Amino acid sequence: MDAGTEEVEALALRALMVHGGDLDEAARCFPDAPRPWLDLSTGINPVAWEPAAMPDIDLRALPSAAARAALEAAAAQAFGAETVAITALPGSELGLRLLAGLGLPAPVRVVTPGYRTHGEALPGAAAIPAEAIDTVADGTLLLANPNNPDGRLLAPERLLAIARRLGERGGVLVVDEAFADSVPDASLLPHLTTGDRVLVFRSFGKFFGLAGVRLGFACGAPDLVATLRDRLGSWPVSAAALAIGTAAYRDAAWIEAARRDLAGRCAALDRVLRAHGLTPLGACPLFRLIETADAGILFAMLARHGILTRPFDYAPRWLRLGVPANAAALDRLDRALSDR
């Protein structure tokens, strides 16, 4: 590889560190990569929910309050969140970015490593490692569970103890459960009461594989959820998202099967990674993190094979890989890793 190619690939590495899924940028940076691209750069389920029949969607009328209530009831039942407040969002990303306007108690702390959005949503927040969360006794604490990108998973009982310790001093625990649908029994929501000072965000698109629907939820303390609901206005969620989300959350058989399928495909990914001397990290079956001194070189090598993964500017030894959709996709990754 000549110096010019190395420089281009170094620029590509930096350009693709902002977020996953940017296939247009990947194609621009690696124009000779084989098509179609295999996108392993996100934590989105590559095997999306598909209904037996598409629900009726009337795009001529404003989304109805009844349809929104039906969606929220279906989601609450799926989450085990029937005892707390819930409101639908046009994606959990937007809900997170509304946090700064809630008047959350200081000091504000964000657990790192984690989502880039968390720090951006609460500017000025102090960053703390996950190992320090049990020492936090006041203010606001924001974390993800399961965490991104390392897949760290915290027991809900541990989080509940932290939440109630914070609540005793007027504090708030905010938990981003964007990946929790894929991990049975991971959610804090079934353990909460209306008196707990907790706000939990859930994402529809990641587990159901329909990120373009732009749907999420905020659940927990009634006053915090009500404030978010008011800020969003009368019609925050489209008629399409209401109908698709309601049908998907009511599809208990698909949800159960998808969890089993993800666990199996992730185990197969682990075996391939280990076969190439790479140790898979994390407990979320939608992705795995690997740590290696040549992560940047490995990213570029895979990209030259038309396989997009997720590098990180703050952790140059890390590379995250989403779970492949099927045996053919896994075999393509296996063959590409053989060039390492």
Side-chain angles (χ1 to χ4, degrees), residues 101 189 216 300 337:
L189 286 169
L337 286 171

Side-chain angles (χ1 to χ4, degrees), residues 146-147 150-153 179-180 182-183 266 281-288:
N147 192 50
D150 59 4
R152 180 188 66 248
L153 186 63
F179 294 103
S182 64
V183 186
C266 197
L281 304 173
C284 180
L286 284 167
F287 60 85
R288 282 294 188 257

Side-chain angles (χ1 to χ4, degrees), residues 12-107:
L13 180 63
R14 290 195 291 272
L16 292 164
M17 284 179 174
V18 177
H19 57 75
D22 196 346
L23 290 178
D24 289 340
E25 181 67 15
R28 187 187 70 79
C29 294
F30 296 91
D32 298 326
R35 304 296 195 273
W37 279 84
L38 172 58
D39 187 5
L40 302 181
S41 67
T42 75
I44 298 168
N45 189 349
V47 181
W49 174 79
E50 293 185 11
M54 278 299 293
D56 291 332
I57 302 171
D58 185 358
L59 297 180
R60 297 165 298 179
L62 287 168
S64 75
R68 182 176 178 181
L71 167 66
E72 290 168 349
Q77 183 175 22
F79 302 157
E82 295 99 326
T83 61
V84 297
I86 183 170
T87 190
L89 310 167
S92 58
E93 165 86 3
L94 180 60
L96 286 163
R97 292 187 181 277
L98 291 175
L99 283 173
L102 293 185
L104 296 171

Side-chain angles (χ1 to χ4, degrees), residues 223-274:
D223 60 320
L224 298 175
V225 172
T227 300
L228 283 174
R229 193 180 190 92
D230 290 345
R231 296 281 172 85
L232 290 167
S234 300
W235 305 286
V237 178
S238 72
L242 292 174
I244 292 169
T246 302
Y249 282 117
R250 288 175 175 170
D251 195 346
W254 184 91
I255 291 171
E256 183 179 352
R259 287 172 175 160
R260 290 196 306 268
D261 183 53
L262 279 170
R265 286 189 284 122
C266 197
L269 172 61
D270 289 348
R271 290 192 291 271
V272 166
L273 293 174
R274 291 192 179 101

Side-chain angles (χ1 to χ4, degrees), residues 104-109 136-141 166 169-173:
L104 296 171
V108 179
R109 302 174 180 91
V136 176
D138 61 354
T140 299
L141 178 64
L166 286 171
R169 300 190 180 185
V172 174
L173 176 65

